């Protein structure tokens, strides 16, 4: 059983992801020169994007992680519970939150609200994918966005369907029979 066979079509190839991550890494390296940003990777979905992005950034940086669980049915509610919060003190730091996808924006809004309590110097977002048509939180803007995607459920390069498909090296759309089996 090859997981590639569950994919109906590839939306973003491995090569496109690598090239876009290089561009974003360059932008971050320029924008944050002398700021020693603290990259905060959201677990688990952003792991692949975070690794590819950070390895091409050429300025000093630190990184940490955050893990939230959203209690939701099929739709995001924004009721998030923090399962891991960064051990690094955030006060006065320039934070870049690394996320796999912004959908409604509620998960990120909850994370930002929590981080703001610690008075960081700045907070920006880097998201591999953006589904702008689904946004419920208008104030949320991803400064470093990989790709805009249509309102379809996507998997791969960190994104999962019931915890599977995260290890695919590209972003794709699942065959409908995968949902219905
Ligand atoms: P939001 O709070 O609605 O912005 O939800 C964002 C989270 O929902 C992401 O971090 C993903 O874990 C998940 N998500 C949203 N859309 C997709 C998708 O198309 N594929 C996989 N996960 C998704
Ligand atoms: Mg997720």
């Amino acid at each position: 059983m090859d997981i590639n066979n569950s994919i109906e079509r590839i939306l973003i190839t491995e090569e496109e992801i690598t090239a876009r991550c290089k561009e974003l890494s360059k932008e971050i390296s320029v924008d944050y020169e002398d700021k020693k940003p603290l990259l905060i990777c959201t677990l688990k979905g952003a792991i692949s994007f975070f690794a590819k992005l950070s390895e091409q950034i050429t300025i000093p940086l630190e990184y940490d992680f955050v893990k939230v669980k959203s209690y939701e049915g099929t739709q995001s509610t924004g009721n998030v519970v923090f399962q891991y919060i960064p051990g690094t003190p955030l006060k006065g730091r320039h934070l870049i939150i690394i996320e796999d996808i912004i959908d409604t924006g509620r998960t990120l809004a909850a994370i930002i609200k929590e981080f703001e309590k610690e008075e960081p110097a700045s907070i920006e977002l880097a998201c591999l994918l953006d589904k702008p048509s689904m946004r419920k939180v208008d104030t949320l803007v991803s400064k470093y966005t990989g790709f805009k995607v249509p309102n379809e459920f996507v998997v791969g390069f960190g994104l999962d369907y019931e915890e599977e498909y995260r290890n695919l090296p590209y972003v794709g759309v699942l065959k409908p029979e995968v949902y219905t089996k």
Side-chain angles (χ1 to χ4, degrees):
M1 155 82 193
D2 182 331
I3 56 171
N4 291 280
N5 295 334
S6 302
I7 302 300
E8 182 168 84
R9 68 181 200 283
I10 296 176
L11 273 188
I12 309 164
T13 66
E14 193 176 353
E15 292 73 23
E16 287 170 330
I17 293 171
T18 302
R20 186 69 186 123
C21 285
K22 258 187 203 158
E23 290 174 354
L24 294 176
S25 304
K26 253 188 216 157
E27 282 180 40
I28 291 171
S29 299
V30 171
D31 294 351
Y32 286 85
E33 202 185 357
D34 303 322
K35 285 187 174 165
K36 192 153 75 167
L38 176 61
L39 272 57
I40 302 185
C41 170
T42 62
L43 296 171
K44 298 174 239 182
I47 278 279
S48 304
F49 176 46
F50 166 71
K52 202 164 266 267
L53 191 69
S54 64
E55 71 186 13
Q56 297 288 337
I57 297 176
T58 52
I59 56 166
L61 59 76
E62 292 178 27
Y63 57 64
D64 210 326
F65 300 89
V66 65
K67 187 169 196 290
V68 296
K69 186 170 172 55
S70 333
Y71 282 97
E72 53 189 62
T74 50
Q75 294 198 334
S76 167
T77 60
N79 295 325
V80 305
V81 173
F82 285 78
Q83 296 184 316
Y84 177 80
I85 54 161
T88 315
L90 307 185
K91 193 174 170 68
R93 298 299 304 267
H94 293 282
L95 311 185
I96 307 176
I97 303 173
I98 316 287
E99 175 65 302
D100 52 0
I101 186 167
I102 319 189
D103 190 11
T104 65
R106 284 169 172 150
T107 307
L108 273 173
I111 291 174
I112 289 170
K113 197 172 157 203
E114 192 63 27
F115 287 176
E116 276 174 344
K117 291 181 191 162
E118 286 202 49
E119 300 179 339
S122 65
I123 305 180
E124 293 291 354
L125 305 177
C127 297
L128 175 67
L129 306 176
D130 186 359
K131 272 186 195 169
S133 62
M134 292 299 289
R135 196 76 82 255
K136 293 279 189 293
V137 186
D138 310 330
T139 49
L140 213 58
V141 178
S142 168
K143 185 163 186 189
Y144 307 99
T145 305
F147 305 88
K148 287 198 161 55
V149 288
N151 183 25
E152 277 186 284
F153 194 80
V154 295
V155 295
F157 206 69
L159 293 124
D160 71 300
Y161 170 63
E162 295 189 343
E163 293 303 325
E164 290 183 38
Y165 307 102
R166 293 190 194 275
N167 55 320
L168 285 170
Y170 53 79
V171 173
V173 179
L174 281 174
K175 288 179 181 165
E177 62 253 38
V178 177
Y179 298 99
T180 49
K181 82 174 176 211

